[in-house]
Amino acid sequence: MRNFKPSFVLAVALHLLIVLLFSISFLTDRDEAQTAPPAEIIEATVLDGAAIDAEAERLKQNEENKRQAETARQQQLEDARKAEEQALQQAKKQRVLEEQKALEAAEKRKQEALAEQKRQEQLDAKRREEEKKLEEAKERRALEEKKAKEAAEKQKQAELDKQKELAEKQKQAELEKQKELAEKQKQAEQERQKEAEKQKQAEKQKQQEAEREARLKEQKLAEEAKLKQQEAEAKKLEQEKKLQEQKALEQKKLQQQKAEEAKREEQAQQAKAEKEKQLAEEKARAEKEKQAALAAEKAKQAAEAEARAKAEKERQAKLAAEKVEKDRQAAEAEAKAKAEAEAKAKAEKERQAKLAAEAAAKAKAEQERQAAEAAAKAKAEQERQAAIAAAQKAEQERQAAEAAAKAEQERLAAAAAEEARLNNLIKSKTEGAWIRPMGAAQGLKCTIQVKLLPSGDVMDAVVVGSSGDPIFDRSAENAVRKASPLPVPQDKILFNQKYRVFNLSFKPE
C-alpha cells in the first residue's frame, strides 16, 4: 500500500481541484442570474477525465517501475548480504583454522620454551656442579698441601730427633771411650791432639770444599729448576695472553682471576721449591755433619792406634833396656805385656767389630730413610700433579660451560636486536602504506592481530584492540594488507615464536 500512496494522493488532489472549479463555476453562474449583469465571455479550461486517467496511469506505471527497481535493488542487497555472510562464514572458518594453527604453534613454542628452559636449567646445574667440583678440588689440593706440609714437618722433626738421638749416642759412646782410654792417653795426649788438629784441619778443608761443591750443585739445580719453571710460566702466560686477546673485554675479569691464580700457584711452587731447597740444605748439612763425625771418629781411631803403637814401642824399648838388668823381671813383664797385648788386641778387635756393626746399621737405616723419603716425595708429587690436572680439567670444563652460556646470551641478544629491527621495519612499512581517512582524529591507536606466511605475506589482519573509530580501524587493517609482504627473520625458530601470529600496535604519527 505504501507503493501506491503518492499516486492516490495525486488523484485525490486532482479530483478535489475539479470539484473546486465546478463549485466556483456554479457560484458564479448563480450570482450572475440574480444580478443579471451583461453577458460576458468566460474562458474556462475543461479537464478531460481520460487525460486525468492517463496521467494517473502514467504515475502508477512510474510507481510500478520504481517498485520493481526497488525490489531488484532489495534482491541485489539480499544477494550481496548472503554472499557477505557466506564470505564471513568462510573467513570465520579460516580464522578458526588459523587460530587452531596458532594455538598449536603457541603450544609448540611453549614446549620449545620449556625445553629451552630445561636445557638452561641443566646448563646452570652443570655449571654449579663444575664450580662445586672446582671448589672441592681446590679444597682437596689445599688439604693435600697442608698434609704434605705436616708430613714434611713431622719428617723433619723425626729427622732432627733421630739426629739428636744419634748425637746423644755418639756423645755417650765418646764419653765411655774417653773414660776407658783416659788413663792410656795421658802420655800421648799432646801428640794425638796435634795430629788430630792437623787431620781436623784437613777434614775441615775437605768438608768446606765438599760443601762448596754441594752448594754450587744445588744452586745450579735450583737455577735449572727455576729456569724450567720460568719457561713453563712463560708458556702459560703466553697461552693466557692469547686467550685474553681472543676474549678481549668479556674475559678481562676471568683473566685477572686466572692471573691471580697463576701468581698464587707460582708463589706456592716457589715456596715449595724454597722449602725443598731448605730440606735439601738441611739434609746436606746433616749428611756433612754425619760425614764429619765419621771422619772425626776415623781420625780419632787412627790417632788412638798410632798412640797405642807408639806407647807399645816405647814400652818395648823400656823393657829391652830393663832386660839387661832384670832378666827375671823382664820375663815376667814380657809375659804380662803379652797378656795385656792379647787382651788389648781382643778388646780392640771387639770394639772395631762393634763400630763396624754400628756403622753398617746406621748406613742401612739411612738408606731406608732416604728410600722412604724418596717414595713419600714421589707419591706426594704424583698426588699434587693429579690434583693440578683435575683442577685444570675442571677449569677447562667451567670455561667451556661459560663459553656455551655466553654464546647462548649472544644468540638471545642478537635475536632481540633482530626482533627490534624487524619491528621497526614493520611499523615503518605499515604506517607508510596507511592512508588517513577523512575526518580521522589525531592520536588514534589500535591493536591488530597479524598472521604471516614464512614468506612475509599477510594471511589476515584483524583489529583486536579498537581505537573507537571503525573507519580508522578498517584503514589500519587495509594498511597492513597493503604493506604485504612484511619483513620476516631468516631464523625459522624466531619466526615461529614471534612473527607467525603477533599483535601490531598501529599508531601512525
Side-chain angles (χ1 to χ4, degrees):
M1 188 174 180
R2 284 180 298 177
N3 295 333
F4 297 102
K5 188 176 180 181
S7 60
F8 177 76
V9 172
L10 182 61
V12 171
L14 287 173
H15 284 83
L16 288 175
L17 180 62
I18 292 169
V19 171
L20 181 62
L21 288 173
F22 274 110
S23 298
I24 293 170
S25 177
F26 177 76
L27 289 174
T28 304
D29 291 342
R30 187 176 179 181
D31 289 338
E32 286 177 354
Q34 290 178 358
T35 58
E40 293 180 1
I41 299 172
I42 299 173
E43 295 180 358
T45 302
V46 180
L47 295 175
D48 192 2
I52 292 171
D53 292 336
E55 183 67 22
E57 186 66 27
R58 188 182 65 80
L59 292 173
K60 184 178 179 181
Q61 187 65 34
N62 289 335
E63 289 296 327
E64 183 66 22
N65 293 334
K66 287 181 180 180
R67 186 184 64 77
Q68 292 177 357
E70 183 67 22
T71 303
R73 191 177 67 80
Q74 290 293 333
Q75 186 65 33
Q76 290 177 357
L77 290 174
E78 184 68 20
D79 294 339
R81 186 181 63 78
K82 289 181 179 179
E84 186 176 357
E85 287 179 355
Q86 187 177 2
L88 287 173
Q89 289 177 358
Q90 188 68 23
K92 188 176 181 181
K93 291 180 181 179
Q94 184 68 22
R95 185 177 300 173
V96 169
L97 183 60
E98 290 294 330
E99 287 177 355
Q100 186 177 0
K101 289 182 179 179
L103 289 173
E104 291 176 356
E107 185 65 25
K108 186 177 179 181
R109 288 197 301 272
K110 185 177 179 181
Q111 294 296 331
E112 290 176 353
L114 289 173
E116 182 68 21
Q117 184 179 2
K118 187 175 180 181
R119 190 176 68 83
Q120 188 66 31
E121 289 175 356
Q122 289 176 355
L123 287 174
D124 293 339
K126 186 176 180 182
R127 181 177 59 80
R128 287 193 295 269
E129 186 177 357
E130 289 171 352
E131 290 178 354
K132 185 178 179 181
K133 287 181 179 179
L134 182 60
E135 190 67 26
E136 289 176 355
K138 288 182 179 179
E139 292 177 357
R140 188 165 58 253
R141 183 176 63 185
L143 183 62
E144 288 174 354
E145 290 178 354
K146 185 177 179 181
K147 287 182 178 179
K149 185 177 180 181
E150 291 177 354
E153 291 293 334
K154 289 180 180 179
Q155 186 175 0
K156 183 179 178 181
Q157 187 64 34
E159 186 68 24
L160 291 173
D161 293 340
K162 190 174 181 180
Q163 291 177 0
K164 187 175 180 182
E165 184 180 357
L166 182 62
E168 290 292 335
K169 287 181 180 180
Q170 290 177 354
K171 186 176 181 181
Q172 187 176 359
E174 184 68 25
L175 290 173
E176 290 176 356
K177 290 175 184 179
Q178 288 178 0
K179 287 179 181 179
E180 184 180 353
L181 299 175
E183 294 297 331
K184 297 178 181 179
Q185 293 178 353
K186 285 183 179 180
Q187 295 178 357
E189 183 66 25
Q190 294 180 353
E191 192 68 29
R192 185 181 65 79
Q193 288 179 354
K194 291 179 181 180
E195 293 294 331
E197 188 67 27
K198 290 179 181 180
Q199 290 180 359
K200 188 176 180 180
Q201 291 295 330
E203 290 294 332
K204 188 175 182 181
Q205 290 178 358
K206 289 181 180 179
Q207 183 179 357
Q208 289 176 354
E209 186 67 24
E211 288 178 354
R212 187 176 65 80
E213 290 179 356
R215 280 197 300 270
L216 290 174
K217 188 175 181 180
E218 289 175 358
Q219 290 177 357
K220 186 176 180 181
L221 291 173
E223 288 176 357
E224 289 178 354
K226 191 173 182 181
L227 286 173
K228 288 180 180 178
Q229 184 178 357
Q230 289 176 354
E231 289 176 359
E233 291 295 328
K235 289 180 181 179
K236 187 175 180 181
L237 291 173
E238 185 177 359
Q239 291 176 356
E240 291 178 354
K241 187 176 180 182
K242 289 180 180 179
L243 290 174
Q244 288 174 357
E245 291 175 353
Q246 290 175 358
K247 294 183 179 179
L249 296 177
E250 291 87 355
Q251 295 286 335
K252 186 175 181 180
K253 186 176 180 180
L254 181 61
Q255 289 170 355
Q256 290 177 355
Q257 292 177 355
K258 286 179 71 177
E260 291 175 358
E261 185 68 22
K263 187 176 181 181
R264 288 195 295 272
E265 183 69 20
E266 182 181 359
Q267 290 177 355
Q269 290 179 357
Q270 289 179 356
K272 185 176 180 181
E274 186 67 24
K275 185 177 179 181
E276 290 177 353
K277 184 178 179 181
Q278 290 178 359
L279 289 173
E281 289 178 355
E282 291 175 359
K283 183 178 178 182
R285 193 181 300 111
E287 187 66 24
K288 289 174 185 177
E289 290 175 357
K290 181 181 176 183
Q291 294 295 332
L294 290 173
E297 182 65 25
K298 288 180 181 179
K300 186 176 181 181
Q301 291 174 3
E304 288 174 357
E306 186 177 357
R308 285 194 297 272
K310 187 176 181 180
E312 184 64 24
K313 188 177 180 180
E314 291 175 355
R315 189 181 65 79
Q316 292 293 337
K318 186 177 181 182
L319 289 172
E322 291 176 353
K323 188 177 180 181
V324 178
E325 297 176 357
K326 298 179 180 179
D327 293 334
R328 184 178 59 83
Q329 292 179 359
E332 292 177 355
E334 187 177 359
K336 186 178 179 180
K338 187 177 181 180
E340 289 178 356
E342 288 176 355
K344 190 181 292 184
K346 184 178 180 182
E348 183 65 19
K349 187 176 180 180
E350 291 175 354
R351 190 179 68 81
Q352 291 294 335
K354 185 179 179 181
L355 290 174
E358 289 177 357
K362 289 177 182 178
K364 184 177 180 181
E366 182 65 18
Q367 288 178 356
E368 291 176 352
R369 186 188 65 79
Q370 290 178 357
E373 183 179 358
K377 189 180 292 184
K379 183 177 179 182
E381 182 65 21
Q382 185 177 3
E383 292 176 351
R384 188 183 69 81
Q385 292 295 334
I388 292 172
Q392 290 177 352
K393 184 178 180 181
E395 181 66 17
Q396 290 175 357
E397 292 177 352
R398 185 182 67 80
Q399 291 178 0
E402 288 180 354
K406 183 182 176 184
E408 183 65 18
Q409 291 176 358
E410 290 176 352
R411 187 187 70 78
L412 293 175
E418 180 67 10
E419 183 179 350
R421 184 183 71 83
L422 291 171
N423 290 339
N424 291 331
L425 290 174
I426 291 172
K427 185 175 183 297
S428 176
K429 192 170 184 181
T430 53
E431 291 179 1
W434 180 65
I435 299 175
R436 180 184 293 276
M438 294 296 294
Q442 295 288 337
L444 292 177
K445 177 184 177 182
C446 66
T447 302
I448 305 172
Q449 187 184 67
V450 183
K451 297 178 181 178
L452 298 180
L453 292 173
S455 60
D457 294 327
V458 178
M459 291 176 59
D460 195 7
V462 180
V463 173
V464 294
S466 177
S467 64
D469 187 349
I471 298 175
F472 176 84
D473 294 344
R474 299 290 82 76
S475 68
E477 290 179 352
N478 293 332
V480 173
R481 291 190 177 94
K482 187 177 178 182
S484 179
L486 295 176
V488 293
Q490 297 295 327
D491 188 0
K492 293 182 179 180
I493 296 176
L494 180 60
F495 171 79
N496 290 326
Q497 288 179 350
K498 300 290 185 180
Y499 293 97
R500 184 174 288 279
V501 179
F502 68 98
N503 290 338
L504 174 64
S505 180
F506 189 83
K507 185 180 179 182
E509 297 296 331

